[in-house]
Amino acid sequence: MAEEPVADAPIEGGEELAEEPKPDVTLEQLYKSARPPVELVPGVALSAIVNAAWLPKDAKTMLSESWIPVPKEPEEGQEPPPPPPSFDPAAAEYGIMMKRLAASAPLLKWNELTIRIKQLETELEKEKDEKVKEEKTAELEACKAAMAETEGALTELKASFYDDPTSLVGWMGSLFALADAGLTTFDVSGPGFPHTSLRGLFGDAANSASVYEGAEKVLGAFKRRYEKERGPNKIQLLTRLVPNQFQDGYKGGEYVDAMVERVRQAVYGAEAADALDLVQLNWWDVAAGDAEPTLKALQRLAEDKLEVSEEGEVSVTEPKKIRAVGLVDFPARGVLAAVQAGVPVATLSIPLSLADRTHMAALEMAREYNVKVFARGGLMGGLVSEKYVGAPLPSTTGAPDPDLDDPAAVLEAVNNYGGWDKVQALLREVKAVADKHGVRMQTVALRWLIDMGTFPVATVRWGEAQWSQFGYHYWTGVTPGVDWQLFQVDSFLDVEDMGRLNALGRV
């Protein structure tokens, strides 16, 4: 843990030490962490660990799920049974709804107003000064008016559960749990080439869709639901553009405008008005095609269009459509080229793990220009787990292993590292460090990435196994299933640990 700040401590020259930033409220409450909040860009938060949302099933299927009871079809010749109650208080969803309402913004506001109203009423009974009494009476009336509005908002919120069939389904609950654990940033993710088809990545010939469209819609539904309950700007979505740069006649500007608008509608609905938090450009080959026109088109959409009146007043004629621009898998020279072209690059997403350091040059370049780095694959697709220590190589045939992101991609990573025996040696080293500190193996791998100055990306698990990516299988505790050591300012990894872990990498 970081040391307590020293208040008003003078330094040489008579100046005072700058006040230490306040801790992130959620991390302080859950993990006793002094880590301050971090922003992706001003006004957009960024959690310590990013959730990579690989969907467990087809997005259309997920979005068609419903928690609302449906009457059974009557058998032939029988009268239709009475419709089931709109809600069964004995159902598990009832308890979930009550917990969600208790944590909602309207109820928190209601509690705050209730306390203040009682305080004011007590103070008014004892107050003698007429002027003060008048001021407190006015405040009391304002609080009561606000209370009436808050009660209306709470009633509306409760009714919204019945209007939204997905509000209490299992996958929504998994995403809510992660966000409530302070992990509020979600990356629109999925398998990449060669583990998905080029058509799946690029869509049709017009570059009009991509493999991430389903994840955009699911995460968009989640973001809208979470913020309806908890308030605006609570969830950050990191979206991607994957243009087919090899297509004849490809023009970055035309493509970017159309695709950004499509993504906005997927995330926010048909009447999209808000800006996307981050759009990351996945460019296939920096050497084979110039990414600058596409990046410049993104930059244009990340800026408000302004107009200056004859009187010199500046007004926004068209607000920005994206808040930040990021890069995916750009090499060091590509990062440098984008920065030198004047593109305000906010992030770089690269594969980085204890086993794979092949993108270290890009990481160093990003550090030099204060570009935040998302480290994908830090858990080696799920292999960094006690489950695989001393176990045989996972199979790519038969039923898929639910603890692996993509068995084929994992097997490729194993081969790239030098085979299963080498991976076993790596896992034993990680387990030794984890046992030394009383944490999960996953915590060691993720903390190493944090200590490298990156934001680790961990793939979402769903349902009962929703904490298994952090080593807590079928966790049912009241606190999040993740080690608190991940969120501290000071690392639990010592010099000896870092030496052991650094020696594992393939550069």
Side-chain angles (χ1 to χ4, degrees):
M1 296 283 288
E3 294 180 3
E4 291 294 323
V6 180
D8 301 321
I11 61 174
E12 256 184 83
E15 295 180 3
E16 296 182 347
L17 288 173
E19 183 181 351
E20 283 197 16
K22 294 181 180 180
D24 181 288
V25 174
T26 301
L27 299 187
E28 184 182 34
Q29 290 175 347
L30 292 174
Y31 313 109
K32 296 183 171 60
S33 169
R35 183 184 187 274
V38 176
E39 290 187 318
L40 175 68
V41 291
V44 181
L46 178 60
S47 58
I49 298 171
V50 176
N51 304 293
W54 290 47
L55 301 187
K57 59 186 83 169
D58 176 74
K60 186 176 181 180
T61 301
M62 293 177 70
L63 293 169
S64 65
E65 292 179 21
S66 175
W67 68 268
I68 300 171
V70 177
K72 293 182 178 180
E73 290 290 331
E75 294 184 9
E76 189 175 348
Q78 290 186 340
E79 289 291 324
S86 59
F87 200 89
D88 179 5
E93 290 89 349
Y94 182 78
I96 297 171
M97 180 194 287
M98 291 300 102
K99 288 179 181 177
R100 295 252 291 269
L101 285 170
S104 68
L107 191 60
L108 294 178
K109 183 67 175 177
W110 186 90
N111 289 336
E112 178 186 319
L113 288 168
T114 298
I115 293 171
R116 185 56 184 154
I117 287 171
K118 288 181 179 178
Q119 287 176 339
L120 288 168
E121 289 174 341
T122 301
E123 291 169 4
L124 279 169
E125 289 176 1
K126 302 175 182 178
E127 187 58 59
K128 304 296 185 184
D129 188 302
E130 288 300 322
K131 184 176 181 181
V132 175
K133 201 170 185 178
E134 184 179 339
E135 290 173 352
K136 289 186 181 293
T137 300
E139 184 184 352
L140 178 61
E141 292 304 313
C143 284
K144 287 182 177 180
M147 175 66 87
E149 290 182 8
T150 302
E151 288 176 343
L154 195 55
T155 300
E156 182 181 332
L157 178 59
K158 187 173 182 180
S160 76
F161 284 93
Y162 302 92
D163 297 330
D164 182 355
T166 64
S167 58
L168 295 172
V169 297
W171 62 261
M172 185 71 78
S174 294
L175 298 176
F176 259 78
L178 289 167
D180 287 347
L183 309 179
T184 59
T185 305
F186 292 79
D187 187 30
V188 173
S189 300
F193 185 78
H195 306 292
T196 188
S197 68
L198 289 175
R199 181 177 180 82
L201 284 173
F202 294 142
D204 59 27
N207 268 302
S208 64
S210 81
V211 72
Y212 303 113
E213 187 170 6
E216 292 162 359
K217 291 180 177 179
V218 169
L219 288 179
F222 159 65
K223 176 179 170 70
R224 297 194 300 272
R225 182 69 221 178
Y226 194 91
E227 294 181 351
K228 185 178 187 69
E229 296 182 27
R230 306 300 172 84
N233 303 319
K234 298 293 186 181
I235 299 299
Q236 307 83 49
L237 297 189
L238 315 181
T239 55
R240 296 190 190 188
L241 254 60
V242 191
N244 183 357
Q245 67 185 87
F246 308 110
Q247 178 186 349
D248 290 340
Y250 169 75
K251 294 181 180 179
E254 296 176 5
Y255 165 81
V256 167
D257 285 8
M259 280 298 286
V260 165
E261 190 57 36
R262 184 198 63 74
V263 176
R264 289 175 72 221
Q265 291 185 17
V267 169
Y268 295 115
E271 297 180 2
D274 292 337
L276 296 169
D277 294 321
L278 175 71
V279 175
Q280 305 168 94
L281 177 62
N282 192 338
W283 194 256
W284 284 96
D285 190 343
V286 172
D290 186 5
E292 185 176 330
T294 301
L295 284 169
K296 283 294 187 180
L298 286 172
Q299 179 182 358
R300 173 173 49 80
L301 295 179
E303 298 169 347
D304 292 326
K305 290 184 179 179
L306 305 176
E307 184 178 84
V308 182
S309 68
E310 293 180 358
E311 293 76 22
E313 295 181 353
V314 179
S315 60
V316 176
T317 58
E318 186 177 340
K320 66 182 71 173
K321 295 185 177 180
I322 62 180
R323 295 188 175 95
V325 177
L327 309 175
V328 177
D329 293 344
F330 271 56
R333 69 183 186 279
V335 176
L336 180 60
V339 172
Q340 290 180 336
V343 178
V345 178
T347 66
L348 171 67
S349 175
I350 55 172
L352 181 65
S353 69
L354 290 168
D356 184 1
R357 322 281 172 81
T358 54
H359 288 74
M360 288 300 293
L363 172 60
E364 294 297 336
M365 185 65 71
R367 283 174 176 164
E368 185 174 341
Y369 289 97
N370 296 317
V371 173
K372 295 179 176 66
V373 176
F374 301 137
R376 308 190 318 272
L379 298 177
M380 298 177 65
L383 283 180
V384 179
S385 167
E386 289 193 4
K387 172 180 176 178
Y388 300 103
V389 178
L393 176 67
S395 174
T396 57
T397 61
D401 187 332
D403 294 316
L404 297 179
D405 298 348
D406 182 340
V410 167
L411 182 60
E412 181 182 12
V414 169
N415 292 334
N416 289 340
Y417 189 59
W420 189 238
D421 288 343
K422 281 199 68 176
V423 170
Q424 282 296 308
L426 179 148
L427 295 179
R428 287 192 295 270
E429 283 290 298
V430 175
K431 188 175 188 306
V433 175
D435 291 345
K436 172 182 172 181
H437 296 286
V439 298
R440 296 299 198 268
M441 289 175 62
Q442 291 89 337
T443 301
V444 171
L446 294 172
R447 184 72 220 199
W448 179 81
L449 289 170
I450 292 172
D451 293 350
M452 293 287 286
T454 73
F455 293 81
V457 179
T459 302
V460 173
R461 299 290 184 252
W462 305 87
E464 291 183 343
Q466 68 183 28
W467 298 111
S468 63
Q469 71 270 40
F470 302 113
Y472 287 85
H473 295 266
Y474 306 104
W475 177 253
T476 57
V478 294
T479 57
V482 55
D483 286 326
W484 59 268
Q485 291 91 333
L486 273 175
F487 303 101
Q488 306 311 311
V489 174
D490 295 331
S491 177
F492 64 87
L493 296 174
D494 56 33
V495 174
E496 178 190 2
D497 300 329
M498 291 300 289
R500 295 175 71 175
L501 298 172
N502 288 340
L504 298 172
R506 178 181 68 87
V507 179

